Each structure stands twice: as C-alpha cells, then as structure tokens.
Amino acid sequence: MSKPHKNFFTDKRGEIYLWFIHGRLFLFNNSIQAMEKNNASATDVVNILKKLKNNIIERKDAKFVPLGAKKVLNTLTDEETNILKIEEDLKLFYERCIAYIRLWENSFGDASTFFRVDENEIKWDHFLKASEIINLRLKSEIVNQDQLFDEVVLAKEFWLLKIKDWKEEEIKTKIKITSEEKWVQLFCHFKEKDILALNIKLILQYIFCKPGNSAPVERIFSLMNNAWSDERAKMNENTGRGLMICKMNFGLTCNEFYEKIKNNIALLKKVHLAEKYQY
C-alpha cells in the first residue's frame, strides 16, 4: 500500500471523509433506485434529480456534517483537526456533486421544462407551458388551449377531492401512489362523467412516453436470454415475443396464469402445435 493510502486509512481525518462520503452515497443510491423503477418517465427522473440537487445545495449552504464524522471530529485536537481544510474539502465535494447532477439533468433535454404532477395541486401554468412546447415541436395547434383550460379546471376539482384519500391510503398501505395511477383514476372519473379531456391526454401521452432509464429494456433482454436458451434455440420469434409480452405485462403468478388459461380451449390447442418452432 502506498504511503498516501496508508496515511488516509490510519489518519482520523480519513475516517471523517469516509463518514461524509458514506452519507452522500446513501442519498445518491436512494435517488438512483427511484429513477430505475419500472415505468419511470424522463420527467420523473428530472424531478428526482431536482430534489437530489436541492438536497445537496441545502447541505452545502448549511455546511452539514454527518453525525459519524462529527463524533470523530470531536476527538481530534486543534493541531490534528485543521477544520478550515476539512470544511473546504467538504464544500468542494458538494460543489462537484451539484455540477455532476446538473450535467445529468442536461442529458434529458426538454424533459426538464415539463412538469410532474404536483402532490397537492394541478397548476394551469404547467399545462400551458407543456402545450406550447408540444404545439411548437409538432408545428401544429394539436393541443387546443381553450379546451385545455376547461379540462384543467375539472381535473383540479377532482384532484382536490382525492388528495386527502390518496395520502390516507399511502399512510395505511405504506406504498406511494404514483402519478400515473392518480391520472388513471382521474380519467376513469372523466369517463364516468362523459368528459373527453382529449387535450390533457395528449400532454400526458407526450410526457409519460419518454423513458427515464433503460432498466425495463435491460430486464427484457435478461428475460429473453433466459427464455431463448440453447435448448430452445428453434423457438419461433413470434413465440419469443409472446412470452416477453406475457412476462412483462400480465403480472400474474404461475398459478394465476394457469387459472386464467386452463379453460381457453383454442389457446391450449395451439400450445400443443408445432407452430411455435421453426425448422
């Protein structure tokens, strides 16, 4: 081990830095896990990055030092501490984290200009800005802003009625209700009331169709490799495609899937045919 490395691990100041980095890695890890969830849109990821960046900025401004690092810091003498040097190093670390997150945000292009459904309210300004971007990109007035305003008013009324129920459900189940699920409930309500809300749908289709990560695609590749093994090399491409559709979209256990198809005579006959193989 080189002398600088040895000094780092034997010097108590090295322990301070390790405690500090440990806390920051925990923040990044939680954010990355949230970004890599299924169905995370680019807008979701941009908002997660925004929250992470704001958290880091707050810690930098407050000169925040985690408890573990503070405990070690309190055991050092004035000669050992060099507190100004440590504070400067921690400040530089925060600044580099912020710069890195900003670069990460820039990679999503105009996703940062879109909105994510706010936890407490729906804002007309967000929809207006989104509609302007979509109309500009498509070079057409595909989103009718007059109709959109009326739709947003109705959506806002529904949101205000449901927000309390959603919070209570999240507390009870300890599972966060996603923005997609909230919008599904809204559109189900609109359908019952014969409200079309075509313009809101157009905006949401544009927003949620932008993937925030490649994790779902990578999962499909992994599942495909498991399904299309050497022993099943003659499997027809359409069969492989069908398997992936079932695995990714049905969300059923083996027993549930069995119960679902056991009385489907036409499907069961096809299962026994050789069409799924190519020769």
Side-chain angles (χ1 to χ4, degrees):
M1 182 182 290
S2 64
K3 188 174 181 180
H5 286 96
K6 186 176 180 180
N7 290 340
F8 180 82
F9 286 105
T10 55
D11 191 328
K12 285 190 175 181
R13 283 175 296 184
E15 189 177 353
I16 293 172
Y17 291 128
L18 286 174
W19 273 112
F20 180 80
I21 293 170
H22 175 268
R24 305 302 72 73
L25 289 178
F26 181 76
L27 281 176
F28 273 88
N29 182 61
N30 285 346
S31 298
I32 290 169
Q33 285 184 337
M35 286 187 281
E36 291 189 346
K37 68 178 183 179
N38 281 330
N39 303 322
S41 68
T43 312
D44 289 329
V45 172
V46 166
N47 278 277
I48 292 168
L49 288 173
K50 184 178 179 181
K51 288 179 181 178
L52 175 62
K53 181 179 69 178
N54 290 340
N55 190 314
I56 297 292
I57 290 172
E58 288 286 339
R59 288 168 184 258
K60 170 180 168 288
D61 293 342
K63 297 182 179 179
F64 176 78
V65 178
L67 182 61
K70 277 184 180 178
K71 287 181 178 179
V72 179
L73 199 58
N74 291 335
T75 65
L76 300 179
T77 63
D78 292 339
E79 292 77 16
E80 292 176 310
T81 304
N82 194 357
I83 188 65
L84 292 177
K85 174 69 168 59
I86 292 174
E87 286 182 350
E88 183 62 25
D89 288 342
L90 301 189
K91 179 184 175 184
L92 287 172
F93 184 87
Y94 279 130
E95 288 175 350
R96 287 172 183 170
C97 286
I98 294 165
Y100 174 74
I101 294 169
R102 282 176 177 153
L103 284 173
W104 204 349
E105 286 178 319
N106 292 339
S107 67
F108 286 93
D110 67 1
S112 59
T113 64
F114 277 102
F115 71 98
R116 181 177 185 269
V117 178
D118 190 85
E119 294 297 324
N120 299 309
E121 62 179 329
I122 291 176
K123 296 181 180 179
W124 162 244
D125 289 347
H126 291 156
F127 281 93
L128 177 62
K129 191 168 187 177
S131 67
E132 289 172 348
I133 293 172
I134 292 172
N135 287 341
L136 181 64
R137 278 186 166 271
L138 299 180
K139 298 179 181 179
S140 171
E141 296 296 321
I142 190 171
V143 179
N144 185 313
Q145 293 181 350
D146 292 333
Q147 295 175 4
L148 177 64
F149 184 86
D150 295 335
E151 294 169 11
V152 170
V153 170
L154 294 172
K156 193 171 183 177
E157 290 175 359
F158 175 82
W159 218 260
L160 291 173
L161 288 172
K162 292 291 292 183
I163 192 69
K164 184 179 178 181
D165 295 338
W166 287 330
K167 286 184 177 179
E168 289 176 353
E169 186 178 342
E170 287 177 342
I171 293 171
K172 184 178 179 180
T173 62
K174 296 182 180 179
I175 298 174
K176 184 174 177 60
I177 301 173
T178 64
S179 54
E180 293 95 329
E181 291 170 331
K182 292 176 182 178
W183 280 112
V184 168
Q185 291 185 34
L186 173 72
F187 288 127
C188 288
H189 170 74
F190 278 179
K191 186 176 181 180
E192 291 174 1
K193 301 295 183 182
D194 293 324
I195 301 170
L196 293 177
L198 296 176
N199 297 282
I200 286 183
K201 286 181 180 178
L202 284 170
I203 291 174
L204 291 173
Q205 285 172 2
Y206 190 89
I207 290 172
F208 289 123
C209 76
K210 289 187 169 186
N213 58 64
S214 61
V217 177
E218 290 168 5
R219 290 189 188 100
I220 292 174
F221 282 133
S222 179
L223 288 170
M224 193 71 249
N225 287 334
N226 291 334
W228 211 331
S229 59
D230 292 340
E231 292 78 12
R232 305 172 75 182
K234 291 187 177 181
M235 183 191 297
N236 187 288
E237 288 182 9
N238 288 332
T239 302
R241 179 174 177 272
L243 280 172
M244 292 304 101
I245 290 173
C246 291
K247 283 181 176 291
M248 295 302 296
N249 297 294
F250 272 73
L252 302 174
T253 64
C254 292
N255 288 336
E256 290 169 341
F257 189 74
Y258 168 75
E259 292 294 329
K260 186 176 181 66
I261 69 169
K262 69 178 183 180
N263 295 321
N264 191 331
I265 305 301
L267 177 62
L268 294 176
K269 283 183 178 179
K270 288 185 177 181
V271 169
H272 292 285
L273 296 177
E275 292 178 10
K276 56 184 176 292
Y277 298 105
Q278 56 187 8
Y279 297 95

